[in-house]
Short mmCIF file of all heavy atoms in Angstrom, two decimals:
data_model
loop_
_atom_site.label_atom_id
_atom_site.label_comp_id
_atom_site.label_asym_id
_atom_site.label_seq_id
_atom_site.Cartn_x
_atom_site.Cartn_y
_atom_site.Cartn_z
N LEU E 27 -0.68 2.53 18.94
CA LEU E 27 -0.93 3.72 19.77
C LEU E 27 -2.14 3.55 20.59
O LEU E 27 -2.18 4.12 21.74
CB LEU E 27 -1.04 4.96 18.83
CG LEU E 27 0.21 5.43 18.14
CD1 LEU E 27 -0.02 6.74 17.36
CD2 LEU E 27 1.33 5.72 19.16
N ASP E 28 -3.15 2.92 20.04
CA ASP E 28 -4.39 2.62 20.89
C ASP E 28 -4.06 1.87 22.13
O ASP E 28 -4.68 2.11 23.16
CB ASP E 28 -5.43 1.87 19.98
CG ASP E 28 -6.68 1.51 20.82
OD1 ASP E 28 -7.39 2.52 21.23
OD2 ASP E 28 -6.95 0.33 21.03
N HIS E 29 -3.14 0.97 22.07
CA HIS E 29 -2.75 0.21 23.30
C HIS E 29 -2.08 1.11 24.33
O HIS E 29 -2.02 0.69 25.50
CB HIS E 29 -1.83 -0.99 22.92
CG HIS E 29 -2.55 -2.11 22.29
ND1 HIS E 29 -3.26 -3.00 22.90
CD2 HIS E 29 -2.60 -2.40 20.96
CE1 HIS E 29 -3.75 -3.84 22.10
NE2 HIS E 29 -3.35 -3.55 20.92
N TYR E 30 -1.70 2.31 23.90
CA TYR E 30 -1.19 3.30 24.86
C TYR E 30 -2.25 4.34 25.25
O TYR E 30 -1.94 5.38 25.80
CB TYR E 30 0.09 3.98 24.33
CG TYR E 30 1.30 3.09 24.21
CD1 TYR E 30 1.67 2.61 22.95
CD2 TYR E 30 2.04 2.70 25.34
CE1 TYR E 30 2.76 1.80 22.82
CE2 TYR E 30 3.12 1.88 25.27
CZ TYR E 30 3.52 1.34 23.95
OH TYR E 30 4.57 0.55 23.85
N GLY E 31 -3.46 4.10 24.77
CA GLY E 31 -4.66 4.98 25.06
C GLY E 31 -4.64 6.20 24.15
O GLY E 31 -5.45 7.11 24.46
N VAL E 32 -3.92 6.21 23.02
CA VAL E 32 -3.83 7.39 22.14
C VAL E 32 -4.72 7.02 20.84
O VAL E 32 -4.40 6.06 20.18
CB VAL E 32 -2.37 7.62 21.71
CG1 VAL E 32 -2.44 8.83 20.78
CG2 VAL E 32 -1.63 7.99 22.97
N ALA E 33 -5.75 7.75 20.64
CA ALA E 33 -6.65 7.58 19.51
C ALA E 33 -6.29 8.43 18.43
O ALA E 33 -6.32 9.69 18.50
CB ALA E 33 -8.06 7.80 19.94
N VAL E 34 -5.75 7.84 17.23
CA VAL E 34 -5.48 8.58 16.06
C VAL E 34 -6.23 7.79 14.87
O VAL E 34 -6.64 6.73 15.09
CB VAL E 34 -4.00 8.69 15.73
CG1 VAL E 34 -3.23 9.45 16.85
CG2 VAL E 34 -3.33 7.30 15.52
N ARG E 35 -6.23 8.39 13.75
CA ARG E 35 -6.82 7.79 12.59
C ARG E 35 -5.72 7.16 11.80
O ARG E 35 -4.56 7.70 11.65
CB ARG E 35 -7.53 8.78 11.73
CG ARG E 35 -8.41 8.29 10.64
CD ARG E 35 -9.60 7.47 11.13
NE ARG E 35 -10.54 7.29 10.02
CZ ARG E 35 -11.84 7.50 10.19
NH1 ARG E 35 -12.34 7.93 11.36
NH2 ARG E 35 -12.68 7.25 9.20
N ALA E 36 -5.96 6.00 11.16
CA ALA E 36 -4.97 5.44 10.24
C ALA E 36 -5.68 4.93 8.97
O ALA E 36 -6.73 4.21 9.12
CB ALA E 36 -4.26 4.23 10.95
N GLY E 37 -5.22 5.37 7.81
CA GLY E 37 -5.89 4.98 6.61
C GLY E 37 -5.71 6.01 5.50
O GLY E 37 -4.78 6.87 5.60
N HIS E 38 -6.56 6.01 4.56
CA HIS E 38 -6.49 6.95 3.44
C HIS E 38 -7.39 8.17 3.71
O HIS E 38 -7.30 9.13 2.97
CB HIS E 38 -6.91 6.28 2.09
CG HIS E 38 -8.20 5.65 2.13
ND1 HIS E 38 -9.39 6.26 2.26
CD2 HIS E 38 -8.55 4.34 2.02
CE1 HIS E 38 -10.36 5.45 2.18
NE2 HIS E 38 -9.91 4.22 2.07
N HIS E 39 -8.15 8.19 4.81
CA HIS E 39 -8.90 9.34 5.30
C HIS E 39 -9.91 9.84 4.18
O HIS E 39 -10.13 11.00 4.03
CB HIS E 39 -7.94 10.47 5.58
CG HIS E 39 -6.75 10.02 6.47
ND1 HIS E 39 -6.90 9.44 7.67
CD2 HIS E 39 -5.44 10.08 6.18
CE1 HIS E 39 -5.77 9.09 8.15
NE2 HIS E 39 -4.83 9.48 7.30
N CYS E 40 -10.45 8.89 3.44
CA CYS E 40 -11.34 9.18 2.38
C CYS E 40 -10.76 10.20 1.39
O CYS E 40 -11.43 11.14 0.92
CB CYS E 40 -12.72 9.71 2.86
SG CYS E 40 -13.65 8.47 3.78
N ALA E 41 -9.49 10.15 1.19
CA ALA E 41 -8.77 10.96 0.20
C ALA E 41 -7.75 10.13 -0.45
O ALA E 41 -6.51 10.42 -0.49
CB ALA E 41 -8.04 12.09 1.00
N MET E 42 -8.14 9.07 -1.21
CA MET E 42 -7.30 8.13 -1.88
C MET E 42 -6.44 8.89 -2.94
O MET E 42 -5.28 8.51 -3.05
CB MET E 42 -8.04 7.08 -2.60
CG MET E 42 -8.57 5.97 -1.64
SD MET E 42 -9.39 4.61 -2.50
CE MET E 42 -9.77 3.58 -1.14
N PRO E 43 -6.95 9.87 -3.68
CA PRO E 43 -6.01 10.57 -4.69
C PRO E 43 -4.90 11.30 -3.97
O PRO E 43 -3.82 11.40 -4.58
CB PRO E 43 -6.95 11.49 -5.35
CG PRO E 43 -8.36 10.87 -5.28
CD PRO E 43 -8.37 10.25 -3.97
N VAL E 44 -5.11 11.75 -2.75
CA VAL E 44 -3.99 12.36 -1.99
C VAL E 44 -2.91 11.34 -1.73
O VAL E 44 -1.70 11.59 -1.89
CB VAL E 44 -4.46 13.10 -0.71
CG1 VAL E 44 -3.33 13.54 0.12
CG2 VAL E 44 -5.45 14.22 -1.05
N MET E 45 -3.33 10.09 -1.24
CA MET E 45 -2.40 9.13 -0.94
C MET E 45 -1.64 8.71 -2.22
O MET E 45 -0.37 8.52 -2.19
CB MET E 45 -3.05 7.92 -0.36
CG MET E 45 -3.82 8.20 0.93
SD MET E 45 -2.77 8.85 2.30
CE MET E 45 -3.60 10.44 2.63
N ASP E 46 -2.35 8.60 -3.32
CA ASP E 46 -1.72 8.28 -4.59
C ASP E 46 -0.68 9.35 -5.01
O ASP E 46 0.38 8.98 -5.51
CB ASP E 46 -2.81 8.13 -5.77
CG ASP E 46 -3.70 6.99 -5.52
OD1 ASP E 46 -3.29 5.99 -4.79
OD2 ASP E 46 -4.79 6.89 -6.15
N PHE E 47 -0.98 10.54 -4.76
CA PHE E 47 -0.07 11.66 -5.12
C PHE E 47 1.29 11.47 -4.35
O PHE E 47 2.38 11.71 -4.96
CB PHE E 47 -0.67 13.03 -4.68
CG PHE E 47 0.25 14.18 -4.87
CD1 PHE E 47 0.44 14.75 -6.14
CD2 PHE E 47 0.92 14.69 -3.86
CE1 PHE E 47 1.26 15.85 -6.30
CE2 PHE E 47 1.77 15.77 -3.93
CZ PHE E 47 1.98 16.39 -5.22
N TYR E 48 1.18 11.05 -3.12
CA TYR E 48 2.45 10.88 -2.24
C TYR E 48 3.00 9.50 -2.48
O TYR E 48 4.07 9.24 -1.83
CB TYR E 48 2.18 11.17 -0.80
CG TYR E 48 1.93 12.72 -0.53
CD1 TYR E 48 0.65 13.22 -0.33
CD2 TYR E 48 3.05 13.57 -0.53
CE1 TYR E 48 0.47 14.51 -0.14
CE2 TYR E 48 2.92 14.85 -0.24
CZ TYR E 48 1.58 15.38 -0.08
OH TYR E 48 1.46 16.74 0.12
N GLY E 49 2.39 8.59 -3.18
CA GLY E 49 2.91 7.31 -3.36
C GLY E 49 2.83 6.43 -2.13
O GLY E 49 3.76 5.58 -1.94
N ILE E 50 1.90 6.62 -1.32
CA ILE E 50 1.75 5.84 0.00
C ILE E 50 0.34 5.25 0.00
O ILE E 50 -0.57 5.82 -0.53
CB ILE E 50 2.08 6.76 1.14
CG1 ILE E 50 1.15 8.01 1.20
CG2 ILE E 50 3.52 7.05 1.20
CD1 ILE E 50 1.38 8.97 2.37
#
């Protein structure tokens, strides 16, 4: 997306337990 000029965040967003909850 950055190569198209679109800035988003990718990662666990400092919320690893949330990612664990969703299994991702």
Side-chain angles (χ1 to χ4, degrees):
L27 289 183
D28 178 64
H29 285 283
Y30 294 104
V32 178
V34 300
R35 190 68 166 228
H38 53 67
H39 316 300
C40 295
M42 286 184 178
V44 173
M45 301 300 121
D46 292 342
F47 174 82
Y48 288 103
I50 53 179

